Amino acid sequence: MRIPDIFKQRAEEGRPVFSLEVFPPKRKKNKESIYEAVDKLKVTQPDFISVTYGAGGNIADNSTCEIAATIKREYGIETVAHLTCINSTREDVKVMIQRFRDSHIENVMALRGDIVPGEDIKREFAHANELAIEVQRQCADDLDILGACYPEGHYESKSLEEDIQNLKYKIGAGARVLITQLFFDNKEFYRFIKLARQSGINVPVSAGIMPIVKASQIEKTVQLSGASLPHKFTAMIADYEHDPKGLYQAGIDYAVAQCRDLIEHGVQGIHIYTMNDPKVAVRVWEGVRDLL
């Protein structure tokens, strides 16, 4: 099923889309672990599961398509396959698109991808909108395109307003649904939505939420996402600095509170970054299931 149709259906039912994100194991020998996670995640009855692209965008080792196809076929859960372009040639993209089509995948998340120091950049695509155009050119009827957005602005943009203008290029290139980068302050999300709608962006937007349950997650997560940390969040970290079990529960509670507030304010979708930890994702779902 196409993701835009899922959003339309849920809107008619008066409830938000609930989705999850998983990532391929770094080692092929650990591939079965992703299905063990999905076995435990299926209780949440997600509307779809997105599968991130292989580290570094290495097409030879990429298992995104296989995992997305298996989840759809074996679990009956719709999937979104991520596709990055910063480390891909046009031929790479052509090969991956054909894999998606052959595997009956109907939805793709078009992303630029992270620039990793020391890794080769192909430079055939500079931005995600260029990738979206290429996907449309090759198979406009076979794949629906999703895109990423940043409630606090992309770290390379001068301002949120500039980033939203750039986001309009992505919409123009074919992105029909947006999923946000993770954030910890709902006020930033509401500000972003207001500015996006005022600028004419009317596609569905799903809020990306990552539960932080370990102190080791914080620095890396903030570094990669650029998300700001509101006082309530930093106070939580400080309160449980020497209490791992307390932080685990507090992190889940924080994510649940975020989700409940978003749903009560009419968010169109909640997208949980599971980090392949089904226990945490299920706990968050249990905290909001009455609103779903």
Side-chain angles (χ1 to χ4, degrees):
M1 189 174 185
R2 304 297 180 95
I3 302 304
D5 293 335
I6 292 176
F7 273 88
K8 181 180 179 181
Q9 186 178 81
R10 294 293 174 264
E12 291 172 350
E13 295 168 353
R15 61 191 181 100
V17 168
F18 181 77
S19 58
L20 307 170
E21 183 164 299
V22 298
F23 59 85
K26 291 183 179 180
R27 298 180 181 179
K28 286 186 176 180
K29 66 179 182 180
N30 296 331
K31 186 171 60 176
E32 289 306 313
S33 66
I34 190 67
Y35 303 121
E36 293 171 2
V38 175
D39 270 330
K40 297 174 182 177
L41 288 168
K42 66 183 180 183
V43 69
T44 69
Q45 298 180 298
D47 290 296
F48 67 88
I49 292 178
S50 70
V51 184
T52 66
Y53 205 57
N58 187 335
I59 191 172
D61 297 328
N62 196 287
S63 57
T64 300
C65 180
E66 177 188 351
I67 292 171
T70 300
I71 292 173
K72 182 173 182 176
R73 182 181 65 251
E74 300 297 330
Y75 295 89
I77 300 171
E78 190 53 72
T79 54
V80 175
H82 288 211
L83 180 62
T84 64
C85 63
I86 195 67
N87 292 318
S88 301
T89 64
R90 290 189 182 278
E91 184 60 28
D92 291 337
V93 170
K94 181 179 179 181
V95 168
M96 286 305 303
I97 288 175
Q98 191 57 51
R99 286 184 188 176
F100 295 153
R101 297 169 81 178
D102 291 344
S103 300
H104 307 291
I105 290 171
E106 299 179 272
N107 306 283
V108 60
M109 182 88 163
L111 302 161
R112 185 193 71 174
D114 296 326
I115 297 177
V116 180
E119 289 197 4
D120 182 37
I121 296 177
K122 300 297 191 296
R123 300 188 185 282
E124 292 191 34
F125 299 94
H127 304 287
N129 65 294
E130 296 172 10
L131 174 60
I133 290 171
E134 183 67 13
V135 173
Q136 283 226 98
R137 188 184 70 80
Q138 292 196 34
C139 55
D141 296 331
D142 295 337
L143 290 172
D144 261 309
I145 301 170
L146 288 76
C149 58
Y150 304 83
E152 299 178 63
H154 192 279
Y155 67 91
E156 294 178 3
S157 292
K158 295 178 181 178
S159 66
L160 177 59
E161 288 76 10
E162 179 186 79
D163 193 45
I164 287 175
Q165 288 304 309
N166 291 332
L167 184 59
K168 293 177 72 174
Y169 295 130
K170 195 179 295 185
I171 303 300
R176 299 183 62 201
V177 170
L178 297 173
I179 298 178
T180 78
Q181 175 62 278
L182 63 92
F183 59 93
F184 301 105
D185 188 344
N186 287 2
K187 291 180 182 178
E188 299 291 347
F189 176 81
Y190 299 138
R191 175 177 174 238
F192 164 77
I193 289 294
K194 181 179 179 180
L195 291 174
R197 299 311 187 207
Q198 288 175 346
S199 73
I201 295 174
N202 295 311
V203 301
V205 179
S206 200
I209 301 297
M210 180 184 287
I212 298 295
V213 296
K214 299 177 183 177
S216 59
Q217 290 179 282
I218 300 167
E219 183 177 352
K220 185 176 181 180
T221 298
V222 173
Q223 181 181 7
L224 291 175
S225 69
S228 61
L229 303 179
H231 174 72
K232 185 177 180 180
F233 183 87
T234 56
M236 175 190 76
I237 300 302
D239 287 344
Y240 297 100
E241 182 179 4
H242 304 294
D243 181 4
K245 290 184 179 179
L247 178 59
Y248 186 91
Q249 183 59 51
I252 291 172
D253 291 343
Y254 190 95
V256 167
Q258 259 196 289
C259 292
R260 293 189 70 86
D261 180 74
L262 289 163
I263 295 170
E264 288 165 356
H265 281 79
V267 72
Q268 293 165 293
I270 295 289
H271 187 71
I272 304 295
Y273 294 103
T274 72
M275 300 304 292
N276 291 7
D277 187 336
K279 184 177 179 181
V280 171
V282 170
R283 290 279 300 278
V284 172
W285 169 76
E286 289 173 341
V288 300
R289 63 187 298 186
D290 61 304
L291 299 180
L292 298 174

